[in-house]
Amino acid sequence: VPVEVLAAVTRERFLRDVYPRRMPVVLKGMELGTCTTKWTVDYLSQAEGSKEVKIHVSAVPQMDFLSKNFVYRTLPFDVFVRRAAEVKHKEYFISEDERYYLRSVGEDARKDIADIRKQFPNLAEDVQIPEYFEKEQFFSSVFRISSAGLQLWTHYDVMDNFLIQVTGKKRVALYSPRDAPYLYLSGTKSEVLDVDNPDLEKYPLFVKAKRYQCFLEAGDVLFIPALWFHNVISEEFGVALNVFWKHLPAESYDKSDTYGNKDPTAASRAIQILDRALKTLEELPEEYRDFYARRMVLRIQEKAYRNDYG
């Protein structure tokens, strides 16, 4: 299913007509500042010089966060940008056709939140972020650079966000939160990496997941509502900026969450309680365990499921 595409919308129209529907939307022709024309490889490498950045290096196109089929390495920013823009490398860590991915982090990756204004202040001056949220809701602005052909694992985030494609092209496949039962989750990530040619012997239910898809070009902005799963392929070398904001009350979020992907604290507590309940059921013989587990499922459906979902 193609994701809806809209010509540039004002903040007022976005908040009135687009936001409440909780569906992904591509916004075209937004005013993003001079970054869309200025951010060439030469300009990028000069603008922030040789400050060191930590990057993912992958020998294969599909990066898998669960099996960690990539390595972390550090390069000066200008060297990294030039390498990420190449197809074949004269200098490399693993192989001459390895791919690179930068997801900017705070100064202390464990404690500090990514903010382009702090980590890449010179580049930040070229960007006009569509602030379709209140100032105090802002959470992070994540600067991303990716080699051509790199595919990121399928995952969800717990905050609403804009994926701003500054240069290059991306293909994004998205799945609704209601299709979580078919995505073989491990935490916030799906085990199904190859969404185009899934292993249906291993993941038979994946065929039930309804796929939404869009192609982002330079200057496009994709609104990804919280909990929507997304799988991103960089069709070309490209630079993007992801802006996350808190749409739930601030106290709903985990204070130690620097990446915007830890479940809300109430959800984490509920899952822990459920795990304890399941452990308690193990005290019963199998037949009883099955009976009471099914009753618990019915109770969860009755109390917590939305009526307008299947």
Side-chain angles (χ1 to χ4, degrees), residues 6 24 26 42 47 62 86 97 107-108 114-115 124 140 143 150-151 171 181 192 203 224 234 258 262 270 300:
L6 294 174
V26 175
D42 286 344
Q62 285 169 340
E86 300 169 343
D97 57 356
E107 297 312 315
D108 179 337
D115 185 341
S140 66
F143 184 62
L150 193 73
Q151 183 168 13
R171 187 201 78 182
V192 186
Y203 309 117
I224 307 177
S234 294
T258 52
K262 285 193 179 180
I300 289 171

Side-chain angles (χ1 to χ4, degrees), residues 34-35 38-39 43-51 77 115-128 143:
T34 55
C35 56
K38 278 169 92 170
W39 284 8
Y43 177 81
L44 287 167
S45 41
Q46 285 162 11
E48 295 290 347
S50 58
K51 60 175 281 174
F77 183 73
D115 185 341
I116 189 172
R117 293 167 299 191
K118 291 179 184 157
Q119 286 99 43
F120 300 93
N122 298 335
L123 294 175
E125 289 179 14
D126 303 334
V127 186
Q128 190 178 316
F143 184 62

Side-chain angles (χ1 to χ4, degrees), residues 271-285:
I271 289 165
Q272 285 170 356
I273 293 165
L274 178 63
D275 286 342
R276 285 206 299 276
L278 293 168
K279 191 98 185 98
T280 309
L281 279 186
E282 287 174 17
E283 295 169 21
L284 292 166

Side-chain angles (χ1 to χ4, degrees), residues 44-46 48-55 73-84 91 93 100 102 120 145:
L44 287 167
S45 41
Q46 285 162 11
E48 295 290 347
S50 58
K51 60 175 281 174
E52 299 238 300
V53 286
K54 189 177 179 185
I55 52 170
R73 292 290 181 266
T74 304
L75 279 176
F77 183 73
D78 49 358
V79 175
F80 156 69
V81 170
R82 294 193 181 285
R83 277 215 218 167
E91 293 182 43
F93 296 108
Y100 301 93
L102 166 70
F120 300 93
I145 295 184

Side-chain angles (χ1 to χ4, degrees), residues 146-162:
S146 180
S147 292
L150 193 73
Q151 183 168 13
L152 274 189
W153 54 89
T154 309
H155 67 285
Y156 70 86
D157 300 295
V158 299
M159 293 182 199
D160 290 337
N161 70 89
F162 279 144

Side-chain angles (χ1 to χ4, degrees), residues 9 29 32 69 89 128 157 164 166 181 224 277:
V9 295
L32 300 172
N69 66 347
H89 312 294
Q128 190 178 316
D157 300 295
I164 301 166
V166 181
I224 307 177

